[in-house]
Amino acid sequence: MTIDLKAHIRGVPDFPKEGILFYDIGTLLAHGPAWQETIERIAGIVEAENADCLVAIESRGFLVAAPLAARLGIGMAMVRKKGKLPGETESLTYDLEYGSDTIEIQKGVLKEGQRAVLIDDLLATGGTAAAASTLISRMGATLTRAVFIIELSFLSGRKRLSVPVSALLEYNA
């Protein structure tokens, strides 16, 4: 029996600010069978890519990528906000709707020629995912696909990515 994953996503109005409807995966994580099905569905997508590693975006992307990497027997690299990773990092500053942000990846965690899949819980405007894609390329790895649990398709984030995008769930508003 297939589980309706949308039934386990909670909409939180006016979070993090008024006028925003936040799609919360906390309720998905809290339901063991639904979470297991989520990981299995994403595993099927990633397996087809013949990936060497996953690259996860802070912080909910880590929750998806860690069990997925263990399940697939492949490595995982973390993309975090500036100043959160130890050792030498590669950083990229990118524009947000209002201002900018900087993300980093540790040098040496990705190898030249590796096939990587980008993982996060949600694709909205695509700014962070596009910046992470650039960092992956700078490390010499090849990004083959980006995978998300949720895509807010009305924000057109996939247009900012130059690789195929997969999302388990889509919201149009």
Side-chain angles (χ1 to χ4, degrees):
M1 181 176 90
T2 301
I3 295 174
D4 177 9
L5 299 181
K6 268 193 179 179
H8 298 282
I9 303 294
R10 177 177 64 158
V12 180
D14 299 321
F15 184 83
K17 62 183 182 178
E18 192 172 330
I20 302 288
L21 177 59
F22 184 83
Y23 293 98
D24 181 22
I25 68 163
T27 46
L28 178 67
L29 290 163
H31 191 276
W35 181 240
Q36 185 174 22
E37 173 126 349
T38 300
I39 295 302
E40 288 304 313
R41 287 186 196 179
I42 294 173
I45 296 166
V46 173
E47 283 175 323
E49 293 299 317
N50 195 28
D52 301 305
C53 63
L54 303 176
V55 178
I57 297 174
E58 179 178 11
S59 66
R60 289 179 299 274
F62 299 169
L63 300 172
V64 180
L68 185 59
R71 153 103 170 49
L72 298 174
I74 60 177
M76 177 189 138
M78 298 178 290
V79 172
R80 298 201 67 188
K81 291 183 179 181
K82 185 176 176 75
K84 300 286 186 180
L85 291 170
E88 197 174 350
T89 61
E90 178 76 21
S91 66
L92 178 68
T93 299
Y94 62 101
D95 291 328
L96 298 169
E97 188 175 351
Y98 301 104
S100 64
D101 204 355
T102 301
I103 57 172
E104 297 180 322
I105 191 167
Q106 290 172 306
K107 289 188 176 179
V109 295
L110 296 178
K111 307 293 185 233
E112 185 79 30
Q114 277 188 309
R115 293 174 55 84
V117 173
L118 184 64
I119 302 286
D120 204 0
D121 69 317
L122 184 128
L123 175 63
T125 64
T128 304
S133 173
T134 299
L135 285 178
I136 292 165
S137 293
R138 283 187 187 172
M139 297 292 100
T142 301
L143 182 63
T144 63
R145 178 172 295 275
V147 182
F148 306 90
I149 296 173
I150 298 168
E151 178 182 5
L152 305 181
S153 58
F154 61 96
L155 294 175
S156 303
R158 70 172 50 224
K159 290 181 180 176
R160 297 189 65 182
L161 298 171
S162 60
V163 295
V165 173
S166 297
L168 300 184
L169 306 172
E170 179 183 351
Y171 290 88
N172 293 312

